[in-house]
């Protein structure tokens, strides 16, 4: 099997509700979908995060396409090594290339899984967990916006990470917390 093309598709994914965090409010996110096409008609899919810009990520893939096309997608480590040696050596931002090329590596593993008719986790030795932990922020800017998000309505909460006033913390966790200072980390049962 050989890689015949690597395609990039920028996607703007709007959020259902605005996402509030320390750097402001986001109304959506952008990712670059990476597709690896093969001569056997299989297509693997991955995604890259364009933390610099979509144009930068897509231009990097255009620049390195010749290093990937014609190669066996099973040669994941060798392909990644050649990409890093060519593109990332001496670059002041190796994190950018790790995030950018992660999409290609995901897409290669997706192709390998499809070719073997196996989920990718089976290629890595099998599932380790039946459930995946999830991290979320309480959303809102004021005590009034935060208060309706009650911990008791969450399926299973082991901690509350709250960076608002003591009144909001008490309201959200339903019991007075041992620490009443802003940015407290409080355990809620």
């Amino acid at each position: 099997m050989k890689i015949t093309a690597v395609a990039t598709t920028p996607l703007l994914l709007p959020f259902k509700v605005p996402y509030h965090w320390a750097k402001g409010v986001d109304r959506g996110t952008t990712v670059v979908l990476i597709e690896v096409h093969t001569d056997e008609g299989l297509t693997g899919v991955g995604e890259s995060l364009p933390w610099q810009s979509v144009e930068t990520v897509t231009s990097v893939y255009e620049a390195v396409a010749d290093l990937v096309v014609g190669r066996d997608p099973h040669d994941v480590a060798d392909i990644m090594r050649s990409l890093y040696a060519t593109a990332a050596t001496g670059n002041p931002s190796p994190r950018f290339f790790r995030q950018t090329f992660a999409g290609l590596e995901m897409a290669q593993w997706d192709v390998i899984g499809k070719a073997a008719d196996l989920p990718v986790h089976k290629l890595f030795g099998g599932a380790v967990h039946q459930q995946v932990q999830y991290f979320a922020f309480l959303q809102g800017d004021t005590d009034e916006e935060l208060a309706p998000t009650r911990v008791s309505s969450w399926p299973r909460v082991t901690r509350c990470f709250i960076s608002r006033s003591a009144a909001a913390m008490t309201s959200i966790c339903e019991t007075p917390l041992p620490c009443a200072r802003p940015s407290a980390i409080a355990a809620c049962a």
Side-chain angles (χ1 to χ4, degrees), residues 43-113:
T43 300
V45 179
E47 71 175 80
S48 293
L49 300 175
W51 67 276
Q52 287 187 349
S53 74
V54 168
E55 295 80 14
T56 305
V57 170
T58 57
S59 67
V60 165
Y61 276 102
E62 289 171 15
V64 300
D66 291 343
L67 297 173
V68 178
V69 172
R71 308 274 302 268
D72 184 334
H74 292 87
D75 297 335
V76 177
D78 191 50
I79 290 172
M80 290 297 114
R81 190 174 14 262
S82 68
L83 292 176
Y84 287 118
T86 302
T89 301
N91 190 289
S93 184
R95 178 180 178 195
F96 165 75
F97 287 102
R98 285 192 299 272
Q99 289 178 331
T100 299
F101 294 145
L104 178 67
E105 185 174 352
M106 284 181 234
Q108 285 178 259
W109 284 113
D110 191 36
V111 162
I112 295 166

Side-chain angles (χ1 to χ4, degrees), residues 11-71:
L11 301 172
L12 174 60
L13 308 171
F15 297 146
K16 288 183 180 181
V17 296
Y19 179 73
H20 297 255
W21 66 305
K23 291 188 177 182
V25 179
D26 288 340
R27 301 199 183 312
T29 191
T30 305
V31 298
V32 178
L33 185 73
I34 310 298
E35 295 174 287
V36 169
H37 300 276
T38 70
D39 60 352
E40 294 185 9
L42 297 174
T43 300
V45 179
E47 71 175 80
S48 293
L49 300 175
W51 67 276
Q52 287 187 349
S53 74
V54 168
E55 295 80 14
T56 305
V57 170
T58 57
S59 67
V60 165
Y61 276 102
E62 289 171 15
V64 300
D66 291 343
L67 297 173
V68 178
V69 172
R71 308 274 302 268

